[in-house]
């Protein structure tokens, strides 16, 4: 298809948001659209580094940045407030500058659902607009349910629970504890929780102004959640492997040597361990994970970021650990995760249950061991273990620690459970059918492309 139509895409400045929206941009480029991908200044250099050598980005995706108010105002103040003070005006200036060029005009603005202000900028400029929710449909359903939750006396107007009770947002969704399970209740202290709740309300209201509302999920994974927001349409899974490409957007340098190490391992033998870009552990929990992997006596590939320990300690590993596991353990700072999870030697995925990781694990038919860290990751873990039944949860001891024995027991449980493996492979086929011709996600994209061109 030959077209000069121009789409502007703006992600939230977090790795878990940049990756799927870069993938969304590639889908646009593949269908002939030109894309301006707008980073905030605080992440721009990291994104550019991740694109080096990735020729598939090509000429049709132009990566730019706008000020976000964070670099020059570090140390104190609310990050969200800083962004809202600076970025809306800068985005408007960028759009007007592009539209002022000869032969140029942006046909549509596509914004991350957590950047609701960008939708409002597009509305103000009377432009076509779409929002992309990069997390689960269930997490967005929580936001869309806020007015009803307040009306029904389940939460207060600031998001705090009126009383502890178990509820279901819709039939066939996991039961949720009103005091602990909503994503805004799983982040930081009470002040942070109230700020996240307020932002969720703002973004939900803004997303209602979008012409299209997309989610990086599928009807097959979350049928009930989609009923809460009928305007919500699936476009997932947004994976580079769907178009035989390489993923981009990682803020950390990938160590591709681990793929050669995986080539030397037996089929379905390796525990892949990765906790995303934000999870941090105290030294006690970190050492229990290390010792758990050691006593499993199985090969493992563990992604250990330099900042994964809360106090930044470089001597966090148990004494002698790396020497003892050298023959069967591979430690890397960051891994090309989609390639790792599709590798035949990988048996299971010990994960923080971030939505990108969840989608990548499910799309490769890999059983999961769930160690959620914050926000909607706990809800994702409930889907993995209780709804889809393709993974297992860890139990904490009386001190709130997941012990090395618990890790060993759950790893052995997954290795020995043929039913979990069979369900994971069945779910993989269901999910991937959505991006094939005739699938729901594929059709959503086709309808959207036609709408932009109309």
């Amino acid at each position: 298809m030959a077209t000069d139509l121009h789409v502007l895409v703006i992600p939230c400045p977090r790795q878990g948001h940049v990756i799927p929206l870069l993938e969304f941009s590639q889908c646009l480029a593949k269908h002939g659209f030109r894309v301006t991908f707008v980073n905030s200044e605080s992440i721009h250099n990291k994104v550019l580094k991740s694109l080096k050598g990735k020729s598939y980005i090509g000429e049709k995706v132009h990566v730019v940045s706008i000020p976000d108010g964070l670099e020059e105002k570090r140390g104190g103040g609310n990050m969200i407030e800083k962004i809202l003070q600076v970025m809306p005006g800068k985005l408007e200036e960028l759009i007007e500058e592009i539209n002022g060029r000869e032969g140029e005009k942006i046909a549509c603005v596509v914004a991350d659902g957590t950047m609701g202000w960008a939708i409002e900028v597009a509305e103000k400029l009377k432009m076509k607009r779409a929002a992309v929710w990069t997390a689960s449909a269930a997490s967005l359903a929580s936001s869309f349910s806020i007015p009803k939750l307040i009306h029904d006396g389940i939460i207060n107007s600031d998001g705090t629970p009126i009383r502890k009770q178990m509820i279901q947002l819709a039939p066939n969704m996991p039961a949720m504890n009103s005091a602990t399970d909503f994503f805004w209740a799983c982040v930081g202290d009470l002040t942070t929780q109230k700020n996240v709740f307020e932002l969720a309300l703002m973004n939900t209201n803004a997303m209602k102004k979008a012409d299209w509302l997309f989610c990086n999920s599928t009807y097959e994974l979350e049928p009930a959640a989609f009923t809460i927001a009928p305007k919500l349409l699936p476009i997932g899974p947004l994976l580079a492997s769907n178009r035989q490409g390489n993923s981009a957007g990682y803020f950390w340098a990938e160590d591709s040597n681990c793929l050669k190490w995986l080539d030397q391992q037996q089929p379905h033998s390796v525990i892949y361990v990765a906790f995303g870009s934000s999870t941090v552990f105290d030294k006690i929990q970190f050492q229990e994970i290390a010792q758990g992997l050691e006593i499993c006596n199985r090969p493992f590939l563990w992604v250990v970021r330099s900042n994964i320990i809360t106090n930044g300690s470089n001597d966090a590993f148990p004494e002698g650990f790396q020497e003892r596991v050298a023959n069967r353990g591979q430690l890397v700072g960051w891994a090309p995760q989609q390639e790792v999870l599709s590798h035949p030697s990988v048996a299971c995925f010990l994960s923080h249950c971030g939505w990108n990781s969840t989608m990548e694990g499910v799309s490769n038919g890999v059983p999961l061991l769930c160690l959620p860290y914050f926000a909607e990751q706990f809800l994702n873990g409930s889907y993995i273990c209780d709804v889809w039944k393709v993974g297992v949860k860890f139990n904490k001891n009386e001190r709130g620690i997941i012990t090395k024995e618990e890790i060993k027991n759950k790893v052995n449980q997954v290795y020995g459970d043929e039913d979990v493996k069979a369900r994971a492979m069945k779910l993989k086929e269901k999910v991937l059918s959505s991006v094939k011709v005739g699938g729901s996600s594929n059709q959503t994209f086709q309808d959207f492309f036609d709408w932009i061109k109309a």
Side-chain angles (χ1 to χ4, degrees):
M1 181 190 80
T3 179
D4 290 323
L5 287 173
H6 193 159
V7 179
L8 183 144
V9 179
I10 180 163
C12 172
R14 292 288 180 268
Q15 180 176 281
H17 298 252
V18 170
I19 291 170
L21 277 165
L22 266 174
E23 196 54 45
F24 188 100
S25 298
Q26 284 298 291
C27 292
L28 288 165
K30 184 180 175 183
H31 284 79
F33 295 94
R34 283 183 300 125
V35 180
T36 294
F37 191 85
V38 186
N39 293 318
S40 71
E41 280 184 348
S42 61
I43 65 163
H44 187 56
N45 288 335
K46 291 179 180 178
V47 175
L48 288 181
K49 274 186 182 178
S50 83
L51 300 180
K52 277 187 179 176
K54 305 272 176 93
S55 59
Y56 71 94
I57 290 294
E59 297 178 358
K60 286 190 176 291
V61 179
H62 182 48
V63 184
V64 302
S65 68
I66 57 175
D68 51 23
L70 298 179
E71 291 298 328
E72 67 273 16
K73 296 181 181 178
R74 288 202 182 279
N78 185 299
M79 183 185 82
I80 296 167
E81 289 178 1
K82 291 177 183 176
I83 286 174
L84 291 176
Q85 286 168 5
V86 175
M87 289 192 78
K90 294 299 181 181
L91 178 63
E92 190 170 339
E93 288 175 15
L94 175 66
I95 291 171
E96 290 175 343
E97 188 262 318
I98 292 172
N99 285 344
R101 299 174 194 162
E102 186 177 349
E104 292 254 13
K105 189 169 179 64
I106 293 171
C108 182
V109 172
V110 177
D112 192 301
T114 62
M115 306 279 272
W117 57 265
I119 294 295
E120 291 172 341
V121 168
E123 182 194 34
K124 175 186 174 184
L125 298 177
K126 296 181 170 53
M127 303 178 70
K128 289 183 175 181
R129 50 203 179 269
V132 179
W133 189 253
T134 59
S136 66
S139 61
L140 185 60
S142 299
S143 288
F144 272 78
S145 298
I146 287 173
K148 187 174 188 302
L149 293 169
I150 294 172
H151 178 270
D152 292 349
I154 293 168
I155 61 173
N156 293 302
S157 58
D158 63 358
T160 56
I162 291 176
R163 65 182 182 280
K164 185 176 178 180
Q165 57 182 304
M166 299 302 293
I167 65 162
Q168 272 185 302
L169 296 179
N172 299 318
M173 284 185 69
M176 302 176 71
N177 185 316
S178 63
T180 59
D181 289 351
F182 292 119
F183 67 83
W184 56 82
C186 304
V187 288
D189 58 18
L190 186 59
T191 300
T192 303
Q193 292 170 20
K194 289 181 178 180
N195 287 339
V196 170
F197 177 80
E198 183 180 344
L199 182 63
L201 265 179
M202 288 170 51
N203 288 327
T204 301
N205 290 330
M207 281 186 279
K208 290 175 182 176
K209 300 173 184 177
D211 298 304
W212 292 74
L213 178 55
F214 302 125
C215 181
N216 183 20
S217 187
T218 73
Y219 290 135
E220 290 80 6
L221 284 175
E222 308 177 86
F226 278 92
T227 65
I228 292 177
K231 189 178 176 181
L232 187 63
L233 295 169
I235 53 168
L238 286 169
L239 301 175
S241 56
N242 293 336
R243 53 176 178 76
Q244 288 78 52
N246 294 316
S247 56
Y250 292 123
F251 292 3
W252 299 80
E254 296 176 11
D255 184 347
S256 296
N257 288 325
C258 64
L259 298 173
K260 298 173 185 175
W261 180 84
L262 286 172
D263 290 340
Q264 299 166 12
Q265 309 308 312
Q266 293 297 312
H268 307 295
S269 65
V270 175
I271 311 165
Y272 174 55
V273 187
F275 301 110
S277 60
S278 301
T279 303
V280 293
F281 298 107
D282 61 29
K283 189 171 181 178
I284 294 172
Q285 183 61 81
F286 181 83
Q287 292 202 344
E288 289 291 331
I289 293 169
Q291 291 168 341
L293 292 172
E294 182 177 355
I295 65 175
C296 282
N297 204 29
R298 300 179 188 275
F300 64 86
L301 169 61
W302 187 6
V303 177
V304 184
R305 303 185 329 269
S306 58
N307 63 347
I308 202 168
I309 305 295
T310 50
N311 62 6
S313 172
N314 291 324
D315 61 349
F317 288 106
E319 188 175 350
F321 168 78
Q322 288 164 284
E323 292 77 17
R324 292 193 299 273
V325 302
N327 290 332
R328 59 182 174 81
Q330 184 81 348
L331 304 174
V332 295
W334 196 258
Q337 184 159 290
Q338 290 192 35
E339 293 173 78
V340 169
L341 287 169
S342 64
H343 198 283
S345 71
V346 171
C348 61
F349 181 13
L350 203 171
S351 170
H352 66 306
C353 303
W355 189 245
N356 284 334
S357 291
T358 299
M359 290 294 276
E360 289 165 3
V362 165
S363 297
N364 283 288
V366 178
L368 289 111
L369 295 134
C370 299
L371 203 161
Y373 175 61
F374 77 146
E376 80 283 355
Q377 294 165 8
F378 295 93
L379 181 58
N380 299 343
S382 293
Y383 269 92
I384 292 165
C385 300
D386 304 328
V387 179
W388 309 328
K389 301 184 188 303
V390 295
V392 297
K393 295 177 182 177
F394 293 110
N395 296 315
K396 295 181 178 180
N397 66 10
E398 63 281 355
R399 294 180 293 127
I401 298 294
I402 297 168
T403 66
K404 57 182 177 289
E405 291 84 7
E406 171 69 0
I407 291 168
K408 177 185 177 182
N409 291 339
K410 291 298 167 65
V411 167
N412 288 341
Q413 180 181 330
V414 166
Y415 270 76
D417 194 331
E418 294 300 326
D419 290 338
V420 166
K421 296 175 190 175
R423 283 193 293 269
M425 290 304 295
K426 189 174 181 181
L427 191 61
K428 169 187 173 179
E429 297 307 317
K430 270 187 171 182
V431 169
L432 293 183
S433 69
S434 64
V435 294
K436 295 176 181 174
V437 175
S440 56
S441 296
N442 180 273
Q443 190 59 51
T444 299
F445 265 124
Q446 294 301 326
D447 293 345
F448 179 58
F449 299 152
D450 292 343
W451 175 78
I452 297 177
K453 290 181 281 181

